[in-house]
Amino acid sequence: MNGPQRNFLDHLHPARVRLRSLHPKTTLGLGIAALTCLGILLITGLTLLLYYLPDQQRAYERILHLTTTLRFGTLLRNLHYLAGNALLILAVLHLARVALTAGYRGRRLNWCYGLLMLFLIFAGAFTGYLLPWDQLAYWALKVGSSLADYLPLLGHPLKVFLLGGEEIGAETLLRAFAIHAAVVPCGLVGLAGLHLWRVRRDGGLAAPSETPAELPARPWLYRAEGSVALITLTVLLLLALWLNAPLGERADPGHPPNPAKAPWYFVGFQEMVSYSATWGGVIIPSLMILFLALLPWLDRRERGGGRWLAPGARPWQLLLILMLCSQLVFIAIGLWCRGPNWSWVWPPGGG
Amino acid sequence: MNQPSPPRWVTPLYIAALAAALAVLGTILFMGISHNPWPLDGDIADVTINLGGTPVREHCTSCHPEGSTATGSPHPDIAPHETAELGCTGCHLGEGMALDLVVSHGLPGNGARAILKKKDIQASCYRCHPLQPLAGAEKAWNGYRLYLQKGCDSCHPLAGLQQSGRYAPDLTAVGDHLGIDQLVTAIRDPDREPVNSTMPRYPLSKRQARNIALFLKSRTARPLFQTPMAQLQKKSLLQPDDLFPGSEQLSPGQALLQRKRCIACHRYNRDDGRIGPDLSYSGLLRTDKYLADFPGDPTALIGGTRMPAIRLTATEQRLLVKELRQNADRLQQTRLAKAAEGRDLYMLLCQRCHAADGNGLGPIAANLAQMPRAFANNRNFFADKSDKELQQSLAQGIPGTSMPGFARLLSPERREMLLNLLFKAFIGGDRYAKRRLPELPPKPEFALTAAAGQQLFQQYCIRCHGRSGTGRGPDAARLRLQPSPRNLTNTGYLVSRSDNQLLRAITYGVPGTAMPSWLGELNEQQIWALLREVRRLSMGEQP
């Protein structure tokens, strides 16, 4: 196994790896799990691409054809849906992990690559939501795109660009498809390559300097990564067997469901906007984005990353945890505790 | 270099993960290939039909070979149509590209694509055929007649009809959006969604509502076998004379009332639409000018009324006024003359709005712009009103509302009789025992600005009276307040109220309504500022 062969994978991996890099506690395997999701998304996406048609009249029928007529059609769509959502969650968790171990120290550029990828992932998830052109998709996009309007300066042009006009229409579907099937995958693959290459250039995983003990990467790192990838695949496959990707009636622009909710990852913002458009829709989201983008610069140390709750970064880490937890709470409230006219519903999901 | 011992858990974990992944993948592949997800013999019927130039692709005959039902009984003969040419979804709707039981028959929700079976299938006939009697589509045809008879076209626009109101949602393509059950619900329970719908609840039987729904389901944006030109030109083949059989025996005035669908909502002698006020006596309850002007612009005279504008020519106006006047005169001398007691008068003239038991919830109360005053259990309200005010309300009516003045119809003695009856039967207590009215806040030396008044209104009043003062705030609909909050943009009504009356309502609340007293909450200056704001709203002034 330790022979001299050097294939492509060997170039992405270091020759030797620290023992602690292998340990589950160090990374929780989030990056590899996210990468696996990306792989699954690309493969299932390419399959779906064979059947989908970005046309207002035909898109929904194509999805019906795909899910009910084709062998493994439902499974593929479920898998694509689940992997997309899993990627979103894993990417956020990965970001949290890097922030909480101060792994960005001395690697600010790679943090930015990662953040760009996160935005691409959101764009991919959001545009993918529209493609079935059903009631859920249409109204979630309607809500989501009107949330964009609250962002200052960038918000409205962004919305017009994404929708191909002021309103959702045939152009929107084509644009969403182009972004979803071309821009996002290409961008993600390119950035993921850069992201991994930078990790390698920066000397592997960030680690405290006092751990020099190293192992050959082959086969230990390969096997550890392989385990995470295979576990991710297994879990997603099992989930895809019993969690169906949602599908509503055909889109009807005249009949909004009440309440119309954004896709789940934007429901937190929707909930915040319901309190105050200025605070929940503009100030807080802008501050959140700004905070994430500037985190490596806020924490001014250049060294000493790679340890959980590394000293010197704790106030920022606490802020990040608070931010993520508050979003979770808002999302939970928006998803389960809001009924018709966005009124409070208790117990959750009832009423 | 000291090499640490490799972690022992890596390899077993790797092997376990590999085994699990392979097992799951293998199981899925095996299940997917061995298990046949498709119905019957496993063949999918993938058919594309040309429907008036539109290719329609369907998988329906996979489960319904040659259009048979689920139990296997064959498709009935539909000559001159042919199932092979028409396909399935052209008439039955549903999602032809789906191949599972739930989706293919239409998902629950708006029911736009819900499958049409048996008698409901006639909802599809008029999607292609022009509106004329068709064998097999009797219910839908009847629904069309009802649609016109009940005056639905007075409010709803619908392409191709001579008359089309502009007050309600366009129904031209409603069949593309809603299923038959949803249409029936919308007709029979109009304010379920949205709760502030102004569509009145028509006294229609379930069957009648379903017939109308069958007709409406046929209204689609793109009929399969009609050229756009034919669609533009599609004309109702029903003439008013066909619509109301026997109308040739009516007098010209009565025929006018019928032709303009007045009787679809109002009562007129024996005919009763059970939605709007009784027109039988209105010739003596309203002035000639009022009667002539009202149909063309109802909201100008009764703010917030649900009555749509009905355009009348000058000749028709004269005819209407003459007919109503003659009818009222006749009734005054016959039916009213015979009514000996206050009770009889009440049942003839008042109960339609104020209810037979005097609680203000008469049969048409819910459809009026402003709820009729309750007499029963409302003693405090009347204890605050002087007897003169009450007499005047009865004699002159209340401007801007559906309450007419009875001065011309009833003699003073008869009006006294009615007032006495109200106190004896409903209000209770002594008619002349009044409460001493508390002091009103004096006009402050320094008035607040108009902007401050607006802000106070937005702070304290909009939950019930609404942002624009129309009486449709969020709480009005949510709590279904009865009586509904006053429409403060109703110029006719508010002009007739004195400053003192309005101040009293704001300061001490209105007994028997949801209007609370603001005495403790607001000071004199603020109450006067609100009065000014209400005046501004009622005059339609811009801030």
Side-chain angles (χ1 to χ4, degrees):
Chain A
M1 274 296 234
N2 285 328
Q5 72 263 45
R6 302 291 290 173
N7 59 25
F8 174 68
L9 279 180
D10 292 329
H11 277 288
L12 270 181
H13 289 88
R16 305 187 71 75
V17 62
R18 295 186 191 92
L19 183 58
R20 70 177 291 284
S21 297
L22 290 180
H23 201 278
K25 210 183 80 180
T26 314
T27 63
L28 308 176
L30 293 167
I32 294 295
L35 194 66
T36 314
C37 286
L38 181 61
I40 295 174
L41 279 171
L42 290 176
I43 294 167
T44 50
L46 281 172
T47 324
L48 298 176
L49 200 56
L50 300 179
Y51 289 95
Y52 182 73
L53 201 62
D55 173 84
Q56 270 181 309
Q57 308 297 330
R58 295 269 169 265
Y60 184 75
E61 293 184 353
R62 283 300 175 136
I63 297 288
L64 290 183
H65 181 63
L66 176 91
T67 48
T68 61
T69 316
L70 298 178
R71 220 183 267 273
F72 298 119
T74 312
L75 186 84
L76 276 174
R77 183 163 172 264
N78 290 354
L79 204 56
H80 193 74
Y81 172 80
L82 286 167
N85 283 296
L87 176 60
L88 207 114
I89 297 168
L90 288 168
V92 171
L93 289 177
H94 179 63
L95 171 137
R97 195 278 295 169
V98 172
L100 294 183
T101 55
Y104 48 75
R105 282 183 181 166
R107 299 158 178 230
R108 285 171 181 158
L109 183 62
N110 216 9
W111 171 268
C112 293
Y113 287 153
L115 217 51
L116 265 180
M117 283 165 76
L118 184 66
F119 288 126
L120 274 181
I121 290 168
F122 270 103
F126 191 53
T127 47
Y129 208 92
L130 179 72
L131 297 184
W133 203 248
D134 62 342
Q135 274 288 76
L136 299 172
Y138 182 89
W139 290 100
L141 191 89
K142 187 96 179 164
V143 174
S145 60
S146 45
L147 284 178
D149 259 345
Y150 289 107
L151 274 183
L153 298 175
L154 271 181
H156 189 71
L158 185 74
K159 177 187 156 184
V160 173
F161 173 71
L162 284 178
L163 299 191
E166 292 283 343
E167 292 296 326
I168 300 177
E171 294 296 315
T172 317
L173 191 54
L174 195 57
R175 256 170 219 219
F177 179 68
I179 293 170
H180 187 81
V183 180
V184 169
C186 292
L188 274 183
V189 168
L191 279 168
L194 267 177
H195 198 67
L196 290 171
W197 177 71
R198 279 271 17 132
V199 174
R200 172 100 170 75
R201 282 300 299 262
D202 291 335
L205 281 177
S209 46
E210 65 270 21
T211 48
E214 288 188 342
L215 277 175
R218 189 182 256 264
W220 306 110
L221 183 58
Y222 285 52
R223 284 185 190 165
E225 288 177 352
S227 311
V228 174
L230 287 168
I231 289 170
T232 311
L233 178 69
T234 313
V235 170
L236 284 179
L237 278 173
L238 284 174
L239 281 177
L241 284 179
W242 63 276
L243 267 184
N244 275 333
L247 187 69
E249 284 186 287
R250 280 170 195 251
D252 185 347
H255 290 87
N258 190 359
K261 289 184 182 177
W264 68 266
Y265 34 86
F266 286 148
V267 163
F269 292 113
Q270 196 182 0
E271 173 69 16
M272 293 200 311
V273 167
S274 77
Y275 300 111
S276 156
T278 325
W279 280 96
V282 181
I283 300 177
I284 295 176
S286 309
L287 285 178
M288 281 164 68
I289 293 173
L290 214 63
F291 169 64
L292 284 181
L294 295 181
L295 182 60
W297 284 272
L298 290 170
D299 176 8
R300 310 183 69 157
R301 294 197 195 181
E302 294 278 345
R303 290 169 185 288
R307 201 182 304 151
W308 283 92
L309 300 178
R314 281 182 197 158
W316 305 118
Q317 291 171 343
L318 191 68
L319 195 60
L320 183 84
I321 293 174
L322 273 178
M323 188 180 110
L324 293 179
C325 288
S326 65
Q327 265 304 303
L328 269 188
V329 172
F330 281 127
I331 288 174
I333 293 175
L335 270 188
W336 294 303
C337 301
R338 292 295 177 182
N341 303 325
W342 213 251
S343 58
W344 182 259
V345 171
W346 194 262
Chain B
M1 198 161 85
N2 63 330
Q3 184 166 317
S5 54
R8 265 180 296 164
W9 51 268
V10 170
T11 311
L13 180 71
Y14 181 58
I15 291 169
L18 192 64
L22 285 176
V24 172
L25 254 179
T27 316
I28 288 172
L29 283 176
F30 176 74
M31 273 167 51
I33 291 166
S34 66
H35 167 70
N36 177 14
W38 301 299
L40 303 180
D41 55 357
D43 285 335
I44 300 170
D46 189 5
V47 183
T48 304
I49 296 138
N50 179 352
L51 281 184
T54 316
V56 174
R57 195 172 158 195
E58 304 176 335
H59 302 324
C60 310
T61 42
S62 311
C63 300
H64 301 280
E66 289 166 21
S68 61
T69 62
T71 50
S73 42
H75 195 280
D77 184 29
I78 51 166
H81 302 314
E82 273 182 52
T83 45
E85 279 183 4
L86 280 178
C88 308
T89 55
C91 297
H92 289 277
L93 302 182
E95 289 293 357
M97 288 288 272
L99 204 65
D100 80 327
L101 201 59
V102 181
V103 187
S104 60
H105 290 189
L107 283 165
N110 293 331
R113 299 294 301 182
I115 209 104
L116 299 175
K117 300 186 214 182
K118 298 182 180 163
K119 300 267 182 190
D120 285 351
I121 197 74
Q122 56 186 289
S124 292
C125 300
Y126 292 114
R127 288 174 73 187
C128 302
H129 290 273
L131 284 165
Q132 58 190 25
L134 269 180
E138 289 80 7
K139 283 162 179 269
W141 175 249
N142 179 254
Y144 174 51
R145 289 173 59 98
L146 275 169
Y147 181 87
L148 296 178
Q149 281 172 353
K150 294 294 174 185
C152 306
D153 53 345
S154 298
C155 291
H156 289 282
L158 183 61
L161 296 187
Q162 298 100 322
Q163 186 184 338
S164 251
R166 307 201 184 287
Y167 302 91
D170 191 340
L171 299 180
T172 303
V174 73
D176 290 336
H177 300 287
L178 295 177
I180 289 177
D181 291 338
Q182 285 79 357
L183 284 166
V184 171
T185 309
I187 295 168
R188 285 175 63 85
D189 200 359
D191 56 358
R192 181 187 287 186
E193 176 72 40
V195 286
N196 60 353
S197 163
T198 54
M199 171 158 160
R201 207 171 283 248
Y202 276 85
L204 290 165
S205 71
K206 246 184 207 160
R207 186 173 302 189
Q208 287 176 313
R210 195 161 186 89
N211 288 354
I212 296 178
L214 286 172
F215 160 66
L216 288 177
K217 185 68 190 164
S218 72
R219 301 297 92 194
T220 60
R222 298 192 310 166
L224 297 167
F225 285 106
Q226 273 184 1
T227 61
M229 191 58 103
Q231 253 213 294
L232 276 176
Q233 287 181 329
K234 72 178 168 190
K235 286 226 171 80
S236 163
L237 294 174
L238 268 185
Q239 296 306 315
D241 296 338
D242 309 330
L243 203 52
F244 301 102
S247 59
E248 60 274 11
Q249 293 157 17
L250 296 174
S251 73
Q254 285 169 323
L256 177 75
L257 283 166
Q258 198 170 61
R259 205 168 61 240
K260 290 292 170 184
R261 323 273 206 281
C262 307
I263 301 165
C265 295
H266 290 283
R267 177 171 186 175
Y268 193 66
N269 299 338
R270 294 235 177 127
D271 299 309
D272 192 352
R274 289 192 277 162
I275 303 267
D278 190 348
L279 298 182
S280 317
Y281 305 93
S282 51
L284 283 170
L285 295 176
R286 305 287 193 184
T287 63
D288 289 358
K289 185 169 163 26
Y290 188 101
L291 291 175
D293 290 346
F294 188 76
D297 190 3
T299 39
L301 293 165
I302 299 184
T305 179
R306 296 180 180 198
M307 157 124 178
I310 306 291
R311 251 171 284 162
L312 299 177
T313 62
T315 326
E316 285 173 331
Q317 281 179 348
R318 277 197 297 278
L319 187 59
L320 177 78
V321 172
K322 195 174 135 210
E323 167 68 27
L324 292 178
R325 181 61 190 269
Q326 281 176 350
N327 194 61
D329 282 340
R330 190 174 53 79
L331 288 177
Q332 191 182 32
Q333 281 149 26
T334 53
R335 201 192 290 169
L336 283 183
K338 266 189 258 164
E341 290 183 56
R343 201 176 56 186
D344 304 328
L345 286 176
Y346 186 86
M347 290 310 285
L348 282 175
L349 301 170
C350 314
Q351 67 86 26
R352 195 173 170 84
C353 301
H354 292 279
D357 55 1
N359 62 4
L361 298 173
I364 67 157
N367 302 321
L368 298 176
Q370 203 70 52
M371 295 263 312
R373 188 65 61 194
F375 302 128
N377 296 322
N378 204 5
R379 204 167 151 187
N380 284 347
F381 178 86
F382 290 94
D384 286 352
K385 293 264 176 283
S386 71
D387 202 58
K388 211 176 138 211
E389 275 180 277
L390 297 181
Q391 287 174 19
Q392 173 157 3
S393 292
L394 184 58
Q396 307 302 330
I398 299 175
T401 73
S402 303
M403 173 73 185
F406 289 85
R408 284 198 294 159
L409 190 69
L410 300 175
S411 64
E413 301 81 55
R414 300 199 126 207
R415 278 179 278 150
E416 280 300 294
M417 208 159 82
L418 255 182
L419 275 176
N420 281 330
L421 170 90
L422 293 187
F423 277 88
K424 204 175 120 217
F426 305 124
I427 303 170
D430 182 3
R431 182 176 154 189
Y432 301 100
K434 297 294 173 187
R435 286 204 298 192
R436 246 199 69 191
L437 295 176
E439 289 293 307
L440 286 176
K443 187 164 189 171
E445 258 180 75
F446 302 104
L448 292 178
T449 61
Q454 266 176 49
Q455 202 180 348
L456 282 169
F457 187 83
Q458 298 296 325
Q459 188 176 348
Y460 290 101
C461 314
I462 60 165
R463 293 201 65 79
C464 296
H465 290 284
R467 218 163 259 284
S468 49
T470 50
R472 294 182 186 211
D475 279 3
R478 192 169 61 83
L479 305 174
R480 303 210 173 234
L481 293 178
Q482 283 180 339
S484 48
R486 184 68 71 183
N487 175 359
L488 301 176
T489 61
N490 185 348
T491 315
Y493 172 77
L494 283 150
V495 162
S496 75
R497 300 293 104 174
S498 69
D499 278 0
N500 277 354
Q501 281 174 308
L502 296 182
L503 279 176
R504 189 171 303 289
I506 300 172
T507 318
Y508 298 106
V510 182
T513 73
M515 176 77 183
S517 162
W518 291 102
L519 187 61
E521 199 100 13
L522 303 173
N523 61 31
E524 293 161 13
Q525 267 188 325
Q526 290 171 317
I527 288 174
W528 274 86
L530 279 177
L531 169 70
R532 208 169 128 187
E533 173 66 7
V534 169
R535 288 287 184 215
R536 187 187 69 78
L537 286 169
S538 67
M539 297 313 290
E541 285 170 28
Q542 294 304 312

